[in-house]
Coordinates of all heavy atoms in Angstrom, one line a residue:
E1 N 25.3 -114.1 -8.0 CA 25.8 -113.2 -9.1 C 25.9 -111.8 -8.6 O 25.5 -110.8 -9.2 CB 24.8 -113.3 -10.2 CG 24.7 -114.6 -10.9 CD 23.8 -114.6 -12.1 OE1 23.0 -113.6 -12.3 OE2 23.8 -115.6 -12.9
L2 N 26.5 -111.6 -7.4 CA 26.8 -110.3 -6.8 C 27.7 -109.5 -7.7 O 28.8 -110.0 -8.2 CB 27.4 -110.5 -5.4 CG 27.5 -109.2 -4.6 CD1 26.2 -108.7 -4.2 CD2 28.5 -109.4 -3.5
R3 N 27.4 -108.3 -8.0 CA 28.2 -107.4 -8.8 C 28.9 -106.4 -7.9 O 28.3 -105.5 -7.3 CB 27.4 -106.7 -9.8 CG 26.9 -107.5 -11.0 CD 25.8 -107.0 -11.8 NE 24.6 -107.0 -11.0 CZ 23.4 -107.2 -11.6 NH1 23.3 -107.3 -12.9 NH2 22.3 -107.3 -10.8
V4 N 30.3 -106.6 -7.8 CA 31.1 -105.7 -7.0 C 31.9 -104.8 -7.9 O 32.7 -105.3 -8.8 CB 32.0 -106.6 -6.1 CG1 32.9 -105.6 -5.3 CG2 31.2 -107.5 -5.2
V5 N 31.9 -103.5 -7.7 CA 32.6 -102.6 -8.5 C 33.6 -101.9 -7.6 O 33.2 -101.4 -6.5 CB 31.7 -101.5 -9.2 CG1 32.5 -100.5 -10.0 CG2 30.7 -102.2 -10.2
Q6 N 34.9 -101.8 -8.0 CA 35.9 -101.4 -7.1 C 36.7 -100.1 -7.6 O 36.9 -100.0 -8.8 CB 36.9 -102.5 -6.9 CG 36.3 -103.8 -6.3 CD 37.3 -104.8 -6.0 OE1 38.2 -104.6 -5.2 NE2 37.1 -106.0 -6.6
F7 N 37.2 -99.4 -6.6 CA 38.1 -98.2 -6.9 C 39.3 -98.5 -6.0 O 39.3 -98.4 -4.8 CB 37.4 -96.9 -6.4 CG 38.2 -95.7 -6.8 CD1 37.7 -94.7 -7.6 CD2 39.5 -95.4 -6.2 CE1 38.4 -93.6 -7.9 CE2 40.2 -94.3 -6.4 CZ 39.7 -93.4 -7.3
S8 N 40.4 -98.9 -6.6 CA 41.6 -99.3 -5.8 C 42.5 -98.1 -5.6 O 42.5 -97.1 -6.4 CB 42.4 -100.4 -6.6 OG 42.9 -99.9 -7.8
Q9 N 43.2 -98.1 -4.5 CA 44.0 -96.9 -4.1 C 45.1 -96.6 -5.2 O 45.4 -95.5 -5.4 CB 44.7 -97.2 -2.8 CG 45.4 -96.1 -2.2 CD 46.0 -96.4 -0.8 OE1 45.7 -97.4 -0.2 NE2 46.7 -95.4 -0.2
D10 N 45.6 -97.7 -5.8 CA 46.7 -97.5 -6.8 C 46.1 -97.4 -8.2 O 46.9 -97.3 -9.1 CB 47.7 -98.7 -6.7 CG 47.0 -100.0 -6.9 OD1 45.8 -100.1 -7.2 OD2 47.7 -101.0 -6.8
R11 N 44.8 -97.4 -8.3 CA 44.1 -97.3 -9.6 C 44.5 -98.3 -10.6 O 44.8 -98.1 -11.8 CB 44.3 -95.9 -10.2 CG 43.9 -94.8 -9.2 CD 44.0 -93.4 -9.8 NE 43.6 -92.4 -8.8 CZ 44.5 -91.6 -8.1 NH1 45.8 -91.7 -8.4 NH2 44.1 -90.8 -7.2
A12 N 44.7 -99.5 -10.0 CA 45.2 -100.7 -10.8 C 44.3 -101.0 -12.0 O 44.7 -101.7 -12.9 CB 45.5 -101.9 -9.9
Q13 N 43.0 -100.7 -11.9 CA 42.1 -101.0 -13.0 C 42.4 -100.3 -14.2 O 41.9 -100.7 -15.3 CB 40.6 -100.7 -12.5 CG 40.2 -101.4 -11.3 CD 40.2 -100.5 -10.1 OE1 41.2 -99.9 -9.8 NE2 39.1 -100.5 -9.3
L14 N 43.1 -99.2 -14.2 CA 43.4 -98.4 -15.3 C 44.6 -98.8 -16.0 O 45.7 -98.9 -15.4 CB 43.5 -96.9 -15.0 CG 42.3 -96.2 -14.4 CD1 42.6 -94.8 -14.0 CD2 41.2 -96.2 -15.4
D15 N 44.5 -99.2 -17.3 CA 45.7 -99.6 -18.1 C 46.4 -98.3 -18.5 O 45.9 -97.5 -19.3 CB 45.2 -100.3 -19.4 CG 46.3 -100.7 -20.3 OD1 47.5 -100.3 -20.0 OD2 46.1 -101.5 -21.2
Q16 N 47.5 -98.1 -17.9 CA 48.3 -96.8 -18.1 C 48.7 -96.6 -19.6 O 49.0 -95.4 -20.0 CB 49.5 -96.8 -17.2 CG 49.2 -96.7 -15.7 CD 48.5 -95.5 -15.3 OE1 48.9 -94.4 -15.7 NE2 47.4 -95.6 -14.5
T17 N 48.8 -97.6 -20.4 CA 49.2 -97.5 -21.7 C 48.0 -97.3 -22.7 O 48.3 -97.0 -23.9 CB 50.1 -98.7 -22.2 OG1 49.2 -99.9 -22.1 CG2 51.2 -98.9 -21.3
A18 N 46.8 -97.5 -22.2 CA 45.6 -97.4 -23.1 C 45.2 -95.9 -23.2 O 45.5 -95.1 -22.3 CB 44.5 -98.2 -22.5
T19 N 44.5 -95.6 -24.3 CA 44.0 -94.2 -24.4 C 42.7 -94.1 -23.6 O 42.1 -95.1 -23.2 CB 43.6 -94.0 -25.9 OG1 42.6 -94.8 -26.3 CG2 44.9 -94.1 -26.8
L20 N 42.3 -92.8 -23.4 CA 41.1 -92.6 -22.6 C 39.9 -93.2 -23.3 O 39.0 -93.7 -22.6 CB 41.0 -91.0 -22.5 CG 39.7 -90.5 -21.8 CD1 39.6 -91.1 -20.4 CD2 39.7 -89.0 -21.8
K21 N 39.9 -93.1 -24.6 CA 38.7 -93.7 -25.3 C 38.7 -95.2 -25.1 O 37.6 -95.8 -24.9 CB 38.8 -93.3 -26.8 CG 37.6 -93.8 -27.6 CD 37.8 -93.5 -29.1 CE 36.5 -93.9 -29.9 NZ 36.3 -95.4 -29.8
K22 N 39.8 -95.8 -25.2 CA 39.9 -97.3 -25.1 C 39.4 -97.7 -23.7 O 38.8 -98.8 -23.6 CB 41.3 -97.8 -25.4 CG 41.5 -99.3 -25.5 CD 40.9 -99.8 -26.8 CE 41.2 -101.3 -27.0 NZ 40.5 -101.8 -28.2
V23 N 39.8 -97.0 -22.7 CA 39.4 -97.3 -21.4 C 37.9 -97.2 -21.1 O 37.3 -98.1 -20.5 CB 40.2 -96.4 -20.3 CG1 39.5 -96.5 -18.9 CG2 41.6 -96.8 -20.3
L24 N 37.3 -96.2 -21.6 CA 35.9 -96.0 -21.4 C 35.0 -96.5 -22.5 O 33.8 -96.8 -22.2 CB 35.6 -94.5 -21.2 CG 36.2 -93.8 -19.9 CD1 35.9 -92.3 -19.9 CD2 35.8 -94.5 -18.7
C25 N 35.5 -96.6 -23.7 CA 34.7 -97.0 -24.8 C 35.5 -97.9 -25.8 O 35.9 -97.4 -26.8 CB 34.1 -95.8 -25.5 SG 32.9 -96.1 -26.7
P26 N 35.7 -99.1 -25.4 CA 36.6 -100.0 -26.3 C 36.1 -100.2 -27.7 O 36.9 -100.3 -28.6 CB 36.6 -101.3 -25.5 CG 36.2 -101.0 -24.1 CD 35.2 -99.9 -24.2
E27 N 34.8 -100.2 -27.9 CA 34.2 -100.4 -29.2 C 33.3 -99.2 -29.6 O 32.4 -98.8 -28.8 CB 33.4 -101.7 -29.2 CG 34.2 -102.9 -28.9 CD 35.2 -103.3 -29.9 OE1 35.1 -102.8 -31.1 OE2 36.2 -104.0 -29.6
G28 N 33.5 -98.6 -30.8 CA 32.6 -97.6 -31.2 C 32.8 -96.3 -30.5 O 33.8 -96.0 -29.9
D29 N 31.7 -95.4 -30.5 CA 31.8 -94.1 -29.9 C 30.7 -93.9 -28.9 O 30.4 -92.8 -28.5 CB 31.7 -93.0 -31.0 CG 32.8 -93.0 -32.0 OD1 34.0 -93.1 -31.5 OD2 32.6 -93.0 -33.2
T30 N 30.1 -95.0 -28.4 CA 28.9 -94.9 -27.6 C 29.1 -95.6 -26.2 O 29.6 -96.8 -26.2 CB 27.7 -95.5 -28.2 OG1 27.4 -94.8 -29.5 CG2 26.4 -95.3 -27.3
V31 N 28.8 -94.9 -25.1 CA 28.8 -95.6 -23.8 C 27.4 -95.7 -23.4 O 26.5 -95.1 -23.9 CB 29.6 -94.8 -22.8 CG1 31.1 -94.7 -23.2 CG2 29.0 -93.4 -22.6
F32 N 27.1 -96.6 -22.4 CA 25.7 -96.8 -22.0 C 25.7 -96.5 -20.5 O 26.3 -97.1 -19.7 CB 25.3 -98.2 -22.2 CG 25.0 -98.5 -23.7 CD1 26.1 -98.9 -24.5 CD2 23.7 -98.4 -24.2 CE1 25.8 -99.1 -25.9 CE2 23.5 -98.6 -25.6 CZ 24.6 -99.0 -26.4
Y33 N 24.9 -95.4 -20.1 CA 24.8 -95.0 -18.8 C 23.4 -95.3 -18.3 O 22.4 -94.7 -18.9 CB 25.1 -93.5 -18.6 CG 24.9 -93.0 -17.2 CD1 25.6 -93.5 -16.1 CD2 24.0 -91.9 -17.0 CE1 25.4 -93.0 -14.9 CE2 23.8 -91.4 -15.7 CZ 24.5 -92.0 -14.7 OH 24.3 -91.5 -13.4
R34 N 23.2 -96.2 -17.3 CA 21.9 -96.6 -16.9 C 21.0 -97.1 -18.0 O 19.8 -96.8 -18.1 CB 21.2 -95.5 -16.1 CG 22.1 -95.0 -14.9 CD 21.4 -94.2 -13.9 NE 22.2 -93.9 -12.8 CZ 21.8 -93.4 -11.6 NH1 20.5 -93.2 -11.4 NH2 22.7 -93.1 -10.7
G35 N 21.7 -97.8 -18.9 CA 21.0 -98.4 -20.0 C 20.7 -97.5 -21.2 O 20.2 -98.0 -22.2
R36 N 21.1 -96.3 -21.1 CA 20.8 -95.3 -22.2 C 22.1 -95.0 -23.0 O 23.1 -94.7 -22.3 CB 20.2 -94.1 -21.7 CG 18.8 -94.3 -21.0 CD 18.3 -93.0 -20.5 NE 16.9 -93.2 -19.9 CZ 16.2 -92.2 -19.4 NH1 16.7 -90.9 -19.4 NH2 15.0 -92.4 -18.9
P37 N 22.1 -95.0 -24.3 CA 23.3 -94.7 -25.1 C 23.7 -93.2 -24.9 O 22.8 -92.3 -24.9 CB 22.9 -95.0 -26.5 CG 21.4 -94.9 -26.5 CD 20.9 -95.3 -25.2
M38 N 25.0 -92.9 -24.9 CA 25.5 -91.6 -24.9 C 26.8 -91.5 -25.6 O 27.6 -92.4 -25.5 CB 25.7 -91.1 -23.4 CG 26.2 -89.7 -23.3 SD 26.4 -89.2 -21.5 CE 24.8 -89.3 -20.9
H39 N 27.0 -90.5 -26.4 CA 28.2 -90.4 -27.2 C 29.4 -90.2 -26.2 O 29.2 -89.5 -25.2 CB 28.2 -89.2 -28.2 CG 29.3 -89.2 -29.2 ND1 30.5 -88.7 -28.9 CD2 29.3 -89.7 -30.4 CE1 31.3 -88.8 -30.0 NE2 30.6 -89.5 -30.9
I40 N 30.5 -90.8 -26.5 CA 31.7 -90.7 -25.6 C 32.1 -89.3 -25.3 O 32.4 -89.0 -24.2 CB 32.9 -91.5 -26.2 CG1 34.1 -91.5 -25.3 CG2 33.2 -91.0 -27.6 CD1 33.8 -92.2 -23.9
N41 N 32.0 -88.4 -26.3 CA 32.3 -87.0 -26.0 C 31.4 -86.3 -25.0 O 31.9 -85.6 -24.1 CB 32.3 -86.2 -27.3 CG 33.4 -86.5 -28.3 OD1 34.4 -87.1 -27.8 ND2 33.3 -86.1 -29.5

């Protein structure tokens, strides 16, 4: 269950048609950084 996180040269992971909020926070207004909730702003 190895977890590999990638940064591609062409930034292919980013959906160019999606909004910034949709990319980082698809649901609601909260992201979780190291298990702790934080408002997207």
Side-chain angles (χ1 to χ4, degrees):
E1 295 184 349
L2 187 74
R3 284 164 287 213
V4 179
V5 176
Q6 301 183 59
F7 186 116
S8 61
Q9 185 175 357
D10 58 5
R11 305 184 183 107
Q13 300 100 311
L14 295 177
D15 181 353
Q16 295 293 317
T17 62
T19 63
L20 177 58
K21 182 180 184 301
K22 188 71 173 177
V23 166
L24 294 179
C25 188
E27 302 292 338
D29 296 314
T30 302
V31 298
F32 289 85
Y33 175 61
R34 304 196 175 192
R36 297 180 179 179
M38 182 181 296
H39 194 276
I40 182 63
N41 288 344

